[in-house]
């Protein structure tokens, strides 16, 4: 339980760093071009991971967070020689929350050329891609009140629908809706 709490705190600190990198960034321009309002961007905690190998890593180390904990949280990765570096670089950052609204991982959309276009956190003690629905924490009340849910393909689709008044929209994290995700909607 203590380990989960530590990982949640690490995700909250990473969210604060990503959102702090957004103003004046290429990600802010991208989100504006896609039609998102500043209010939506703020409300959903969208951010930016600069195209640097160790921006988040250095920031978190100065806050006293151990790199082993960042690795366990899925925020950094390690190459075959043991070098550790930021998992997300040059990406618009979407915090992924569990049904209770806690940040348990991230999805990053690449701004430039390259692959993968979208990169999710890896499976961790908190982040189980096949069990999470993007936006469920915010959509739960509207789903309950309307008795309906709109399941869409991507993060931007959810944001656009919520911004235009369809608060019952969610997205599966992945190519298809899993049984575990569907069970959360019943």
């Amino acid at each position: 339980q203590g380990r989960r709490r530590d990982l949640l705190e690490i995700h909250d600190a990473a969210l604060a760093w990503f959102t702090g990198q957004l103003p004046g960034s290429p990600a802010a321009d991208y989100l504006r071009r896609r039609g998102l309002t500043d209010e939506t961007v703020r409300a959903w905690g969208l951010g930016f991971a600069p195209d640097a190998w160790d921006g988040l890593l250095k920031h978190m180390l100065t806050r006293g967070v151990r790199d082993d904990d960042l690795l366990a949280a899925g925020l950094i990765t390690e190459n075959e020689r043991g070098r550790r570096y930021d998992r997300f670089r040059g990406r618009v950052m979407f915090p992924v929350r569990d049904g209770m609204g806690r940040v348990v991982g991230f999805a990053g959309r690449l701004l430039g050329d390259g692959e993968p276009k979208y990169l999710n956190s890896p499976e961790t003690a908190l982040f189980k891609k096949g069990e999470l629905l993007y936006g469920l924490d915010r959509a739960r009340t509207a789903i309950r009140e309307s008795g309906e849910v709109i399941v869409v393909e991507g993060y931007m689709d959810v944001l656009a629908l919520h911004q235009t008044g369809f608060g019952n929209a969610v997205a599966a994290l992945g190519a298809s809706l899993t049984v575990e995700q569907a069970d959360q909607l019943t």
Side-chain angles (χ1 to χ4, degrees), residues 15-140:
L15 175 63
W17 189 78
F18 290 137
T19 58
Q21 303 304 304
L22 185 63
S25 73
D29 295 337
Y30 169 81
L31 294 169
R32 221 171 280 110
R33 281 193 315 272
R34 293 292 305 265
L36 295 184
T37 64
D38 290 342
E39 181 182 333
T40 296
V41 169
R42 241 186 334 276
W44 287 77
L46 304 185
F48 176 58
D51 195 9
W53 288 98
D54 58 2
L56 177 64
L57 175 60
K58 283 181 178 176
H59 171 76
M60 297 296 267
L61 290 173
T62 63
R63 292 183 48 110
V65 178
R66 297 176 327 121
D67 59 345
D68 286 340
D69 293 332
L70 292 169
L71 190 63
L75 293 166
I76 65 171
T77 191
E78 185 175 63
N79 68 16
E80 61 281 347
R81 291 181 293 217
R83 180 173 178 261
R84 293 179 173 182
Y85 53 91
D86 292 358
R87 173 177 300 279
F88 301 103
R89 299 178 311 280
R91 294 177 181 272
V92 175
M93 297 302 295
F94 301 85
V96 177
R97 293 176 169 84
D98 65 10
M100 295 170 47
R102 301 174 300 191
V103 177
V104 296
F106 292 91
R109 192 217 187 271
L110 191 61
L111 288 172
D113 295 330
E115 293 292 325
K117 181 176 169 182
Y118 278 94
L119 179 66
N120 287 318
S121 291
E123 296 284 317
T124 68
L126 299 177
F127 189 84
K128 308 273 189 264
K129 185 170 130 179
E131 297 174 7
L132 295 164
L133 289 162
Y134 183 70
L136 181 60
D137 61 306
R138 298 175 77 75
R140 191 177 303 273

